[in-house]
C-alpha cells in the first residue's frame, strides 16, 4: 500500500481516542454544573477513570502490550486502593 | 575450570581494569558501584555509631550531665536518620545486591548500568544534605519527623534533613526499578524463576517495597517542607489540619521500609545456611512465597505504630490483626532455616556464626513484635525502651549480623582474598554477646516504664542503662575489629580461588574477583542449592 | 534493524526495548504512588471540610483548567502518533510530531503560569489576607498549589526528555525507532497527562454546581 | 547506683489484665523460642561435619505436610493471640456511675490538671482510689502523651482535638507520670506525679485547695464575657440553637447527624464553621482565637450544666 495511506492509517486509532477524550472532557465539565448534591464528585471521577483507561490502553499501548507491563501498570491502582482502604479504617470509624 | 587456567591472556578483573579515580567515579560496572556504596555506608555507619556512642555514655547517669538536652535530642535523631536511610536500607541491596544480582542470574550487569550509577550519586546527594544538617547544628525531630513539632515548633535544620532523606529516597526507588527489570529481563538461559537463589528473590521482594513505598515518603516529606517553609496549612491542627494524617502517610512508608531492611538479611542468611550445612534449603518454594507475602502484607499493617495516637480504636483492631498475619510468613522462614540444618553436614566458619546469630536475634526481635502488635500490651510499652529493644534486635541483631555474615561469605569473591578465620570468629562472637548485653536490658526497663527519647531518667533505671552502655562498648569494639583484619587481608590475605566455600550458585563460577563482564564462558545453570545428591549426605563433606 | 543501538548488558535489541519499557512502567507506578500521597490527604480533608472545599473549588479558574486539559490531551495524541510513526519508519513525521508535542507542553506551562499569576492577584495563596473565610478553604489551596506545582515539575521534566529526542534525532531520525528512548519518553509523557486528567476534577470541578 | 526497679505496681484495674496478657504472650513466645533454640543446638551438634549421625534420605513426614502443618499452626496461634488478648480492647468503655471527670491540658513542657470544682494542679494529679476517672485531655502546642506506667496506660494528647483516658485507680500511693511522645527540648522533664488517695483523704485534700470558682462558674462567666447568650439565650432574637441539654444528644448537621460529645462541642466553639447545624446560618464567630483550651473546658462544663427540662430540641 502506498506511503501516504500508511501515514494516514497511523492516525486513525489515536485520533478516535482523542475525540473520545475531548467529548468526555466536555461532558464532565458540563455535568459539573448540574446540581447532584454529593453526586458530582463520583460522576466526575468516573469520567476521569474512563479517560485514564483510554490513555493507558491505547496511547500507552497496554492494549497491544505484553502482560508483564499490564501487571506492572495494575500495581499502581491496586496499591492506591489499599492505601485508601486502610486510611478509611481509621477516618470512617473515628 | 581451576585457578591454574587463569593465565595472562585473561581480561583484567574489575578491580584492575582502570586505576584512575575517574574509572571508579564514572564506572557503570555494578561491581564497582557496589564498592562505592560499601565505602559510603561504612562512613555513615560510623557517624551514626559515634552519635549513639555519646548517647550511651550520657545515659550512664540518670541526670543529663554529659550533653545538654538539645544535643541529646539531635544525637538520637541523627542516629536514627543516618542508620535507617544512609546505612541499613542501602546496606545489603546497594552493596551485595548490586554486586551479586547479575552474577547470580548469569548476567553481564544490571539492566540499566547508568541509572545504577545515578543511584549512587543520588545517595551522595542526600548524604551531602545530611552532612550539611550536621554542620547547620543538627536536627531534633526524631527520625519520625512528627508534626506539628517538625513543622511549627522545632527551630533546627529540619528542611535540610528532610531534603536529604527526600533525595536518598529516589536512590532506592531507582535501585528497585533496576533490580526488578534485571531479574525479569536478564536471567541466563535455563535460570527459571524457581531456580533463582533466595538472595535474588529477596532482592526482588525488597525492590517491590522500595518502588511502591518510597515515593509516599518522598511526598510526605515534601508536604512537611511546604508547611514549614512556605507556611502552607497542611497538617497544622490550629489551621484545621490533622497531625494523624502525617503519621498515616509516614508509616505507610516506614513500616514497609522495615521489610526493606530485613528481607535482604533473610536472603543472605538463606545462602549462608545452605552452604555451610551442605544442604538443600528446606521448602525452597515456601521460602519464596514467604518473601513475597511479607513484602505485600507488610503494606497493610502500618497503623500498629499509632495505637495510642488517637486513631480510631476500630482501626487499632484492624491493624493489630493484620500485624499478626504478617508474622506468619516470617515464622515459615524461621522454621525452614532450622529444618535445613537437619541431617546437614555443618561447619562453623564466621559467616555461619553470624547466620546463627541472625536466627536467634531475629526470632527474639520478631516475637517481641507480637507483643507490640497486641494492643493492650503496646499501649503500655509504646514509646518505651521495649520498642527500642524490639527494633534493634531485628535491625542490628538481625540485619547487621546478616550484613557482616554476607561480607565475610562473599569477601573472597569481592576481593579475591581470604580473611583471617579465627579473628573473624572472635568478632562474630563478641558481636553476639555485646549485642545481647546492650539490648536485652532495654526490654526489661521498657516494660518497667522507661520512656524512649529521654535525656534524663529516674535513678531506678540506672542499672539497666549501665549494662546497656557496657554492652555498647563491647559492640563498638566488635564492629571496629573487622575493619582492621579485613583491610589487613586485602594485602596479606591468601588468594581465595574461585570457590573457597565449595558453594553452589552462579557467582561462584566466576573468577574472584570477577572480570568486567563477570563470566568468561556462559555459566552452567542447575538446580539451586544442590549440595548433595537427592536427599543423601554430602560425600566430600563427610570425607573431611 | 541494525544493532547500532544495542547497549550492554543486552544481547539483542528487542529485549533491550522490552526492558526499557518495563523499567519505565515500574518507575511510573512509583510516580503514581507519589501522587497517591497527595490524593490521600485531599480526600481526608475534603471529607473533613466539605463546605470549605466546595467554596474554595469554585475559586479556581475553570477556563484555564479546561483549556489546559485539552492541550495536554492533544499533546498526548501527537506523542502517541509520533511513536507509531517512527516505528512505521516515518522518522521525519515522528520528529515533527515530537516538536508539536513539545510546543503544546510548553504552551501548557505558559498558561499555567498565567493562571498562577491570576490566583496570586486574587489572594488565593494560603496565609494572611487569604480570600476565603471558610474553614478548610486554605487547606484546599495548599493542595491546589502543591498538586499543580509537582505536576508542573513533571511536565518540565517531560519537556526536557522530549527536547532531547528532538535534538538527538536531528542527525539521524532512525535513532527514534532504534533506541528505546522515544518509547520511554512517550510513556512518561502520557503519565503526566494521566495525572492531570485526575487532578482536573479534583481541583477545577469542585463546587461548580452549588455556586 | 541507688535502688533499682524490678517490678511495677498494678495500680489500676486494667493493669492486672495487661500484665496477664504480657505474661501469657511471653509464655507462648518463650516456648516457641526455647523449642527453636533446642532444635538449633541439637542439629548443630548432631550434624556437625564428620559426626557419625545418619544422613540418609529424609523420613516421610519431612515433606510438604510438615510445611503446611507448621504454617497452619502458626496462623492458628496468631489468630488465637489476637482473639484472646486483643479482641475489642480499648473500644469506648461504658461510664460508671459517680465517674469523676478531670481536665488535662498539656503544653511544652508541663501538665495542667483541673478538678470539677475548679481546683488546679501543675505536674501533679490527686485522685480518689476505686473511682472511675475520666481524663479529658488536650494540648496547647505539640503532641504529648500521658503515660502512667503503674496504670499501664498511655494516650497521646493532641492540639485542638480532645482525647480521653478512662480508668479506675486500684491502689493508693504516688506514681510517676511521664510524657511519652517526644515533644522537644524538655521532653524528658515533662514528668509529674499521680497521687491516689482514699476517698475521704481526697475530699479533705480537695477541701484544702484554693479552689477558684468551679469549672461551671468559670464557664458561666466566660459565657457572659463572650456574649454567647446574645445568640443562644432562649430569648435571643438571633436564630441560634438552644444549648441546654445538647450534650450527649444527636445534632442534625447540614452534613448529617452527629453525636454532640466533647469533641464536637469543642469544635463547635473553636471552629463553628466546620459543621453547621441544619437550618442555621453560619454566623457564629469562631472563638479559636480568644478561647484557650482551658476556657473551652469551662464553657463545656457550663453548657453541660444547663438545666435540660423545658427545652425542646
Ligand atoms: C527490620 C526492621 C523491623 C522488622 C522486620 C519488624 C518486624 C515486626 N514489627 Fe517492628 N518495628 C521496627 C522495625 C522492625 N519491625 C521499628 C524501627 C520500630 C519503631 C519505629 C519507631 O517508633 O521509631 C518498630 C515498631 C513496631 C511496632 C510499634 C511499636 C510502638 O511504637 O508502639 C509494632 C507493633 O505492632 C511492631 C510490630 C512488628 C511485627 C509484628 C513484626 C513482624 O514482622 C515480626 C515477624 C517475625 C516473627 C513473629 C518471628 C518469627 C516467628 C516465629 C518464631 C514463629 C512464631 C510466630 C507466631 C506464633 C506468629 N514493630
Ligand atoms: C537502623 C539501624 C540502627 C543501628 C545499626 C543502630 C545501632 C545502635 N543503636 Fe539505635 N536506633 C535506631 C536504629 C539503629 N540503631 C533508630 C531508628 C532509633 C530511633 C531514633 C529515634 O528515636 O528517633 C534508634 C535509637 C536508639 C536508642 C534510643 C535513644 C533514645 O530513645 O533516647 C538507643 C539507646 O540505647 C540506641 C542504641 C543503639 C546502639 C547501642 C547501637 C549499636 O549497634 C551501635 C554500636 C556502635 C557503637 C556503640 C559506637 C562505636 C563506639 C564508640 C563511638 C566508642 C564510644 C562508645 C561507648 C564507649 C559505648 N539506638
Ligand atoms: Cu511532652 Cu514529651
Ligand atoms: Cu511497623
Amino acid at each position: 500500500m502506498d506511503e501516504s495511506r500508511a501515514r494516514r492509517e497511523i492516525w486513525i486509532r489515536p485520533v478516535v481516542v482523542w475525540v473520545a477524550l475531548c467529548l468526555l472532557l466536555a461532558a464532565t465539565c458540563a455535568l459539573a454544573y448540574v446540581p447532584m448534591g454529593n453526586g458530582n464528585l463520583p460522576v466526575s471521577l468516573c469520567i476521569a477513570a474512563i479517560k485514564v483507561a483510554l490513555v493507558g490502553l491505547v496511547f500507552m499501548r497496554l492494549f497491544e502490550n505484553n502482560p508483564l507491563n499490564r501487571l506492572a501498570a495494575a500495581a499502581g491502582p491496586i496499591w492506591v486502593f489499599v492505601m485508601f482502604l486502610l486510611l478509611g479504617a481509621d477516618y470512617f470509624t473515628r | 575450570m581451576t585457578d591454574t587456567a587463569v593465565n595472562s591472556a585473561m581480561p583484567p578483573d574489575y578491580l584492575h581494569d582502570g586505576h584512575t579515580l575517574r574509572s571508579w567515579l564514572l564506572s557503570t560496572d555494578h561491581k564497582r558501584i557496589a564498592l562505592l556504596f560499601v565505602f559510603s555506608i561504612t562512613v555513615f555507619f560510623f557517624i551514626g555509631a559515634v552519635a549513639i556512642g555519646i548517647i550511651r555514655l550520657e545515659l550512664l547517669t540518670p541526670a543529663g550531665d554529659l550533653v545538654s538536652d538539645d544535643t541529646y535530642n539531635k544525637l538520637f535523631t541523627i542516629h536514627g536518620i543516618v542508620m535507617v536511610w544512609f546505612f541499613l536500607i542501602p546496606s545489603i541491596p546497594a552493596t551485595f545486591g548490586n554486586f551479586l544480582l547479575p552474577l547470580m542470574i548469569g548476567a553481564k550487569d544490571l539492566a540499566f548500568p547508568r541509572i545504577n550509577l545515578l543511584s549512587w550519586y543520588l545517595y551522595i546527594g542526600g548524604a551531602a544534605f545530611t552532612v550539611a544538617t550536621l554542620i547547620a547544628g543538627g536536627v531534633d525531630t526524631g527520625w519520625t519527623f512528627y508534626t506539628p513539632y517538625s513543622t511549627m515548633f522545632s527551630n533546627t535544620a529540619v528542611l535540610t534533613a528532610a531534603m536529604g532523606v527526600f533525595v536518598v529516597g529516589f536512590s532506592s526507588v531507582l535501585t528497585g526499578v533496576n533490580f526488578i527489570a534485571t531479574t525479569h529481563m536478564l536471567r541466563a538461559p535455563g535460570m527459571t524463576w524457581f531456580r533463582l537463589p533466595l538472595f535474588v528473590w529477596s532482592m526482588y521482594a525488597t525492590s517491590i517495597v522500595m518502588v511502591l513505598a518510597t515515593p509516599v515518603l518522598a511526598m510526605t516529606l515534601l508536604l512537611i517542607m511546604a508547611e514549614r517553609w512556605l507556611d502552607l496549612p497542611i497538617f497544622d491542627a490550629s489551621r484545621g489540619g490533622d497531625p494523624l494524617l502525617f503519621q498515616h502517610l509516614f508509616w505507610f512508608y516506614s513500616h514497609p521500609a522495615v521489610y526493606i531492611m530485613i528481607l535482604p538479611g533473610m536472603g543472605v542468611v538463606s545462602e549462608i545456611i545452605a552452604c555451610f550445612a551442605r544442604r538443600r534449603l528446606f521448602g525452597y518454594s515456601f521460602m519464596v512465597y514467604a518473601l513475597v507475602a511479607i513484602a505485600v502484607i507488610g503494606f497493610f499493617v502500618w497503623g500498629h505504630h499509632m495505637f495510642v495516637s488517637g486513631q480510631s480504636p476500630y482501626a487499632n483492631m484492624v491493624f493489630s490483626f493484620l500485624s499478626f498475619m504478617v508474622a506468619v510468613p516470617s515464622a515459615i522462614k524461621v522454621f525452614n532455616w532450622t529444618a535445613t540444618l537437619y541431617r546437614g553436614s555443618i561447619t562453623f566458619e564466621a559467616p555461619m556464626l553470624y547466620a546463627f546469630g541472625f536466627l536467634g536475634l531475629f526470632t527474639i526481635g520478631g516475637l517481641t513484635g507480637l507483643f507490640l502488635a497486641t494492643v493492650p500490651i503496646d499501649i503500655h510499652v509504646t514509646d518505651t525502651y521495649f520498642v527500642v529493644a524490639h527494633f534493634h534486635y531485628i535491625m542490628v541483631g538481625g540485619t547487621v549480623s546478616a550484613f557482616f555474615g554476607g561480607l565475610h561469605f562473599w569477601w573472597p569473591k569481592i576481593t579475591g582474598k581470604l580473611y583471617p578465620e579465627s579473628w573473624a570468629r572472635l568478632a562474630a562472637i563478641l558481636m553476639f554477646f555485646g549485642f545481647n548485653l546492650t539490648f536485652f536490658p532495654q526490654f526489661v526497663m521498657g516494660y518497667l516504664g522507661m520512656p524512649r527519647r529521654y535525656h534524663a531518667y529516674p535513678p531506678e533505671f540506672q542499672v539497666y542503662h549501665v549494662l546497656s552502655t557496657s554492652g555498647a562498648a563491647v559492640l563498638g569494639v566488635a564492629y571496629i575489629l573487622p575493619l582492621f583484619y579485613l583491610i589487613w587481608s586485602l594485602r596479606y590475605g591468601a588468594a581465595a580461588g574461585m570457590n573457597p566455600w565449595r558453594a553452589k550458585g552462579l557467582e561462584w563460577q566466576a573468577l574472584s574477583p570477577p572480570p568486567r563482564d563477570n563470566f568468561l564462558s556462559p555459566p552452567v545453570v542447575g538446580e539451586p542449592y544442590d549440595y548433595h545428591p537427592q536427599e543423601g549426605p554430602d560425600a566430600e563433606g563427610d570425607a573431611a | 534493524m541494525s544493532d547500532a543501538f544495542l547497549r550492554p548488558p543486552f544481547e539483542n535489541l528487542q529485549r533491550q526495548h522490552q526492558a526499557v519499557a518495563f523499567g519505565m512502567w515500574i518507575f511510573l507506578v512509583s510516580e503514581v504512588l507519589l501522587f497517591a500521597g497527595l490524593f490521600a490527604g485531599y480526600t481526608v480533608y475534603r471529607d473533613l471540610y466539605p463546605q470549605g472545599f466546595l467554596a474554595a473549588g469554585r475559586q479556581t479558574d475553570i477556563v484555564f483548567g479546561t483549556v489546559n486539559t485539552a492541550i495536554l490531551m492533544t499533546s498526548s495524541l501527537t506523542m502517541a502518533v509520533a511513536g507509531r510513526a517512527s516505528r512505521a519508519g516515518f522518522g521525519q513525521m515522528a520528529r515533527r510530531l515530537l516538536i508539536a508535542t513539545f510546543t503544546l507542553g510548553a504552551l501548557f506551562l505558559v498558561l499555567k503560569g498565567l493562571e498562577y499569576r491570576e490566583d496570586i492577584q486574587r489572594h488565593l495563596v494560603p496565609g494572611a489576607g487569604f480570600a476565603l473565610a471558610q474553614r478548610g478553604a486554605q487547606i484546599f489551596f495548599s493542595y491546589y498549589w502543591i498538586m499543580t506545582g509537582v505536576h508542573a515539575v513533571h511536565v518540565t521534566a517531560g519537556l526536557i526528555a522530549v527536547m532531547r529526542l528532538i535534538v538527538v534525532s536531528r542527525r539521524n531520525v532512525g535513532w527514534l525507532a532504534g533506541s528505546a528512548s522515544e518509547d520511554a519518553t512517550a510513556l512518561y509523557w502520557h503519565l503526566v497527562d494521566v495525572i492531570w486528567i485526575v487532578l482536573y476534577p479534583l481541583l477545577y470541578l469542585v463546587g461548580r454546581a452549588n455556586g | 547506683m541507688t535502688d533499682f526497679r524490678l517490678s511495677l505496681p498494678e495500680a489500676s484495674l486494667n493493669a492486672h489484665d495487661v500484665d496477664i496478657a504480657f505474661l501469657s504472650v511471653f509464655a507462648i513466645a518463650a516456648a516457641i523460642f526455647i523449642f527453636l533454640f533446642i532444635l538449633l543446638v541439637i542439629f548443630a551438634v548432631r550434624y556437625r561435619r564428620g559426626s557419625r549421625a545418619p544422613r540418609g534420605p529424609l523420613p516421610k513426614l519431612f515433606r510438604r505436610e510438615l510445611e503446611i502443618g507448621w504454617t497452619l499452626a502458626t496462623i492458628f496461634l496468631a489468630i488465637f493471640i489476637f482473639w484472646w488478648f486483643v479482641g475489642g480492647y480499648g473500644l469506648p468503655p461504658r461510664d460508671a456511675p459517680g465517674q469523676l471527670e478531670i481536665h488535662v491540658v498539656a503544653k511544652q513542657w508541663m501538665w495542667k490538671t483541673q478538678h470539677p470544682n475548679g481546683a488546679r494542679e501543675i505536674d501533679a494529679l490527686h485522685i480518689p482510689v476505686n473511682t472511675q476517672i475520666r481524663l479529658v485531655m488536650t494540648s496547647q502546642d505539640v503532641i504529648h502523651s500521658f503515660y502512667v506506667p503503674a496504670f499501664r496506660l498511655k494516650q497521646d494528647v493532641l492540639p485542638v482535638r480532645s482525647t480521653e483516658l478512662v480508668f479506675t485507680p486500684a491502689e493508693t500511693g504516688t506514681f510517676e507520670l511521664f510524657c511519652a511522645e517526644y515533644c522537644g527540648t524538655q521532653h524528658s522533664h515533662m514528668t509529674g506525679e499521680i497521687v491516689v488517695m482514699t476517698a475521704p483523704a481526697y475530699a479533705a485534700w480537695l477541701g484544702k485547695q484554693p479552689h477558684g470558682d468551679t469549672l461551671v462558674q468559670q464557664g458561666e462567666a466566660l459565657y457572659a464575657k463572650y456574649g454567647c447568650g446574645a445568640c443562644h439565650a432562649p430569648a435571643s432574637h438571633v436564630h441560634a440553637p438552644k444549648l441546654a441539654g445538647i450534650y450527649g444528644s444527636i445534632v442534625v448537621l447540614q452534613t448529617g447527624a452527629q453525636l454532640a460529645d466533647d469533641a464536637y462541642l469543642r469544635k463547635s466553639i473553636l471552629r463553628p464553621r466546620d459543621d453547621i447545624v441544619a437550618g442555621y446560618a453560619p454566623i457564629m464567630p469562631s472563638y479559636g482565637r480568644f478561647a484557650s483550651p482551658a476556657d473551652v473546658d469551662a464553657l463545656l462544663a457550663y453548657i453541660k450544666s444547663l438545666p435540660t427540662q423545658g427545652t425542646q430540641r
Side-chain angles (χ1 to χ4, degrees), chain B residues 46-95:
Chain B
F46 279 99
I47 293 179
V50 170
I52 209 62
I54 300 168
I55 281 195
R56 279 316 329 167
L57 291 174
E58 156 67 58
L59 290 172
L60 275 172
T61 55
D65 37 21
L66 178 62
V67 294
S68 75
D69 37 19
D70 270 319
T71 316
Y72 182 91
N73 299 341
K74 289 171 178 173
L75 282 171
F76 73 67
T77 302
I78 210 64
H79 169 69
I81 291 178
V82 163
M83 285 299 200
V84 168
W85 284 298
F86 294 91
F87 171 64
L88 202 59
I89 285 182
S91 65
I92 295 178
T95 58

Side-chain angles (χ1 to χ4, degrees), chain D residues 107 109 111 142-145 179-184 187-188 190:
Chain D
K107 69 190 282 284
W109 291 273
W111 299 98
V142 302
I143 301 178
H144 303 272
S145 191
C179 172
E181 185 60 67
Y182 175 68
C183 55
H187 167 58
S188 60
M190 189 166 163

Side-chain angles (χ1 to χ4, degrees), chain B residues 70 140 153 278 286 308 310 317 336 343-344 346 376 379-380 382-383 447-448 453-454 460-461 464 541, chain D residues 5 19 22 47 49 55-57 62 67 85 88-89 142 147 154-156 161 178-180 182 185 187-188:
Chain B
D70 270 319
D140 71 345
F153 290 85
R278 318 295 316 161
F286 282 81
V308 301
M317 292 302 115
N336 279 292
R343 302 205 163 179
I346 306 167
I379 289 179
H380 171 46
T382 180
D383 279 313
Y447 195 77
L448 295 180
R453 298 172 172 180
Y454 260 34
E460 307 98 281
F461 292 117
Y464 301 103
Chain D
R5 185 178 300 179
D19 283 353
F22 180 83
Y47 297 110
R49 168 161 312 170
R55 294 198 173 67
F62 254 55
E67 197 75 57
F85 298 109
Y89 188 92
V142 302
Y147 177 34
K154 189 183 286 110
Q155 173 60 56
D156 282 9
R161 252 182 82 181
F178 291 129
C179 172
Y182 175 68
T185 310
H187 167 58
S188 60

Side-chain angles (χ1 to χ4, degrees), chain D residues 101 103 134 245 247 262 265 299-307:
Chain D
E101 180 176 305
H103 291 266
R134 177 147 161 275
Y247 179 69
D262 280 285
L265 293 179
L299 282 166
L300 290 189
Y302 174 65
I303 292 176
K304 292 180 193 171
S305 75
L306 291 171

Side-chain angles (χ1 to χ4, degrees), chain A residues 13-84:
Chain A
R13 247 203 188 181
V15 168
V16 175
V17 171
W18 177 77
V19 174
L21 287 173
C22 293
L23 294 179
L24 285 167
L25 175 59
T28 187
C29 189
L31 284 173
Y33 287 88
V34 184
M36 294 183 254
N38 295 337
N40 289 82
L41 181 68
V43 171
S44 57
L45 284 182
C46 287
I47 297 184
I50 302 172
K51 285 156 87 183
V52 169
L54 282 174
V55 176
L57 290 175
V58 182
F59 285 178
M60 300 170 98
R61 314 212 330 280
L62 278 176
F63 209 62
E64 28 194 292
N65 228 313
N66 61 346
L68 189 55
N69 294 1
R70 267 188 236 125
L71 189 71
I78 294 175
W79 254 259
V80 176
F81 173 73
V82 167
M83 182 194 235
F84 278 64

Side-chain angles (χ1 to χ4, degrees), chain D residues 12 16 21 23 56 60 64 68 78 85 95-96 143 149 152 156 159 164 182 187 197-198 221 229 232 238 246 275 279:
Chain D
S12 78
H16 187 63
L23 291 175
K60 271 278 160 288
R64 299 184 65 255
I68 296 177
F85 298 109
D95 293 356
I143 301 178
R152 312 289 189 279
D156 282 9
E164 298 193 346
Y182 175 68
H187 167 58
M197 328 165 90
T198 61
H232 286 287
V238 183
I246 175 176
D275 29 32

Side-chain angles (χ1 to χ4, degrees), chain B residues 69-70 73 76 140-141 146-149 153 237 243-244 247 278-279 282-283 286 308-310 313-314 317 320-321 324-325 328 331-332 334-336 338 341-348 356 359-360 363-364 367 371 374-377 379-384 386 447-449 451-456 458-464 466 502 535-537 541-542 544, chain D residues 1-8 18-19 21-22 25-26 29 32-33 36 39-40 43-44 47-50 54-59 62-64 66-68 70-71 74-75 78-79 81-82 85-92 108 141-143 145 147 149 152-156 158-161 163 176 178-191 271:
Chain B
D69 37 19
D70 270 319
N73 299 341
F76 73 67
D140 71 345
T141 60
Y146 271 21
T147 52
Y149 185 71
F153 290 85
L244 289 198
Q247 297 180 20
R278 318 295 316 161
R279 195 98 192 141
F282 188 81
F286 282 81
V308 301
S309 68
Y314 301 96
M317 292 302 115
S320 170
F321 178 75
F324 279 99
M325 289 303 102
V328 173
I332 296 178
V334 171
F335 295 143
N336 279 292
T338 318
L341 298 175
Y342 182 67
R343 302 205 163 179
S345 161
I346 306 167
T347 54
F348 300 92
F356 272 108
L359 266 182
T363 307
I364 295 181
L367 287 169
F371 291 70
T374 312
V375 178
I377 302 177
I379 289 179
H380 171 46
V381 297
T382 180
D383 279 313
T384 67
F386 192 93
Y447 195 77
L448 295 180
R452 67 189 279 198
R453 298 172 172 180
Y454 260 34
H455 161 247
E460 307 98 281
F461 292 117
Q462 185 172 20
V463 174
Y464 301 103
V466 170
R502 295 181 302 105
E535 305 303 356
D542 289 349
Chain D
M1 219 160 289
T2 52
D3 57 318
F4 81 100
R5 185 178 300 179
L6 281 167
S7 71
L8 205 55
V18 174
D19 283 353
F22 180 83
V25 178
F26 179 78
I32 295 171
F33 181 75
L36 285 168
L39 277 183
L40 275 182
F43 291 168
Y47 297 110
R48 68 188 182 283
R49 168 161 312 170
R55 294 198 173 67
L58 295 176
F62 254 55
R63 295 270 181 272
R64 299 184 65 255
L66 184 65
E67 197 75 57
I68 296 177
W70 66 43
T71 306
T74 320
I75 293 178
I79 293 180
I81 300 177
F82 172 79
F85 298 109
V86 181
Y89 188 92
L91 298 183
Q108 285 175 325
D141 37 49
V142 302
I143 301 178
S145 191
Y147 177 34
R152 312 289 189 279
L153 277 179
K154 189 183 286 110
Q155 173 60 56
D156 282 9
L158 303 162
V160 179
R161 252 182 82 181
T163 51
E176 60 210 339
F178 291 129
C179 172
E181 185 60 67
Y182 175 68
C183 55
T185 310
Q186 302 258 34
H187 167 58
S188 60
H189 298 293
M190 189 166 163
T191 57
R271 350 199 207 100

